[in-house]
Amino acid sequence: RLERDDVHRRAAQQLGQVLQNGLSHADLKIKTAAVLFICEIVGETEKKAWAPLLQTCAVIVQVLTQLAAANEEDMLQECVQSLIDVASLQPDFFKAQLQANMEPAKFMANVARTREGVDPGLRNLALEWLVTYLEKRVKWITKSLKDYPGLVLQACMDLMLEVEDGQEELKAWAERMDDEEGEEDEDELFHAGEEAIDRVAEAMSMDNLGQSLFQLIGHFCSQAPWQAKHAGLAAIKQTV
């Protein structure tokens, strides 16, 4: 028994060294591989096994930031998708880091809200991480992470600005406002934001969500561009 425990301990130490070397490597491909490996371990094992990896969470956020700065969107998408799986399967992996500095939520919200130079699919995935985590940890967020719902709602609303400009588009949207189905193949990001805000409202009570939501709706409806007013009205439609 002692010998077997010793083997497991040595194996864990060796694995830790491999991951540390990967995360600190200069090559972003190797950093990405290390992040994906960590996500795989956390997603497939019990908390007792992955608990030592909690200290890597801050470094993972650094790798995400480096990938974004280098415009390595394919690798970044792969990492975000794996982090969505972790948020769904083992959401507590992120708890300490979120309490410390709201990461990776701030990073994900920034990606989701960035309108220029970011792939729509990546923006959608970043929003998915935010909503997935909220759905998995509503009670804890309500009690201990009160800024989180507002961060997610802001990202949702910003995606709902993504509709085509021009008078023809405005007329088409006005005609579609009463259509529950809408044109799902058009304005993909708008619909992603719309669906996400619906999920947030369903997961949280209006007692906890109302103040942040109504402030955002008022802010958007007071703006001059019709897309902002439309986003505010659509948010009301989704949540009331």
Side-chain angles (χ1 to χ4, degrees), residues 19 23 31-32 34-40 42 53-67 76 79-80 82-83 86 93-94 97 103-104 107-108 129:
L19 292 173
L23 290 171
K31 286 179 183 285
T32 298
V35 170
L36 297 177
F37 192 15
I38 290 168
C39 291
E40 188 72 19
V42 176
L53 295 174
L54 284 168
Q55 61 188 319
T56 67
C57 199
V59 187
I60 288 174
V61 176
Q62 291 176 11
V63 174
L64 298 178
T65 304
Q66 290 166 358
L67 289 170
L76 184 54
C79 286
V80 174
S82 291
L83 290 169
V86 173
F93 179 72
F94 302 103
Q97 196 63 40
E103 293 292 1
F107 175 85
M108 298 294 185
W129 185 92

Side-chain angles (χ1 to χ4, degrees), residues 12 20 26 41 50 60 63 72 78 97 99 133-134 152 191 203:
Q20 186 177 348
I41 293 170
W50 57 254
I60 288 174
V63 174
E72 293 286 358
E78 203 172 356
Q97 196 63 40
Q99 279 188 308
Y133 190 83
L134 181 142
V152 181
H191 289 295

Side-chain angles (χ1 to χ4, degrees), residues 186-207:
E186 297 182 18
D187 302 312
E188 176 187 348
L189 286 172
F190 172 87
H191 289 295
E194 192 177 41
E195 180 186 341
I197 208 167
D198 189 38
R199 287 166 61 189
V200 172
E202 188 170 331
M204 299 191 72
S205 70
M206 289 305 289
D207 288 343

Side-chain angles (χ1 to χ4, degrees), residues 107-237:
F107 175 85
M108 298 294 185
N110 188 50
V111 170
R113 296 178 63 189
T114 301
R115 303 187 70 178
E116 298 295 330
V118 178
D119 180 77
L122 178 56
R123 294 179 66 187
N124 206 341
L125 281 176
L127 182 64
E128 179 61 33
W129 185 92
L130 290 166
V131 178
T132 296
Y133 190 83
L134 181 142
E135 289 174 330
K136 291 294 181 179
R137 284 295 176 264
V138 172
K139 289 183 179 178
W140 180 73
I141 286 170
T142 301
K143 182 180 178 182
S144 304
L145 211 64
K146 296 184 184 298
D147 290 339
Y148 191 94
L151 189 76
V152 181
L153 288 171
Q154 179 73 62
C156 294
M157 296 287 286
D158 278 11
L159 260 69
M160 290 165 68
L161 292 172
E162 299 293 347
V163 291
E164 290 295 325
D165 202 0
Q167 289 301 311
E168 287 300 317
E169 285 76 14
L170 172 57
K171 183 180 178 182
W173 269 108
E175 291 171 352
R176 293 211 302 261
M177 269 303 284
D178 291 330
D179 182 4
E180 288 293 328
E181 297 300 321
E183 296 291 330
E184 294 297 334
D185 58 335
E186 297 182 18
D187 302 312
E188 176 187 348
L189 286 172
F190 172 87
H191 289 295
E194 192 177 41
E195 180 186 341
I197 208 167
D198 189 38
R199 287 166 61 189
V200 172
E202 188 170 331
M204 299 191 72
S205 70
M206 289 305 289
D207 288 343
N208 297 316
L209 202 61
Q211 185 175 356
S212 297
L213 177 63
F214 296 138
Q215 283 178 348
L216 274 171
I217 288 172
H219 172 67
F220 274 72
C221 287
S222 68
Q223 294 182 42
W226 68 264
Q227 290 95 334
K229 296 181 188 299
H230 179 266
L233 293 171
I236 294 172
K237 179 184 176 185

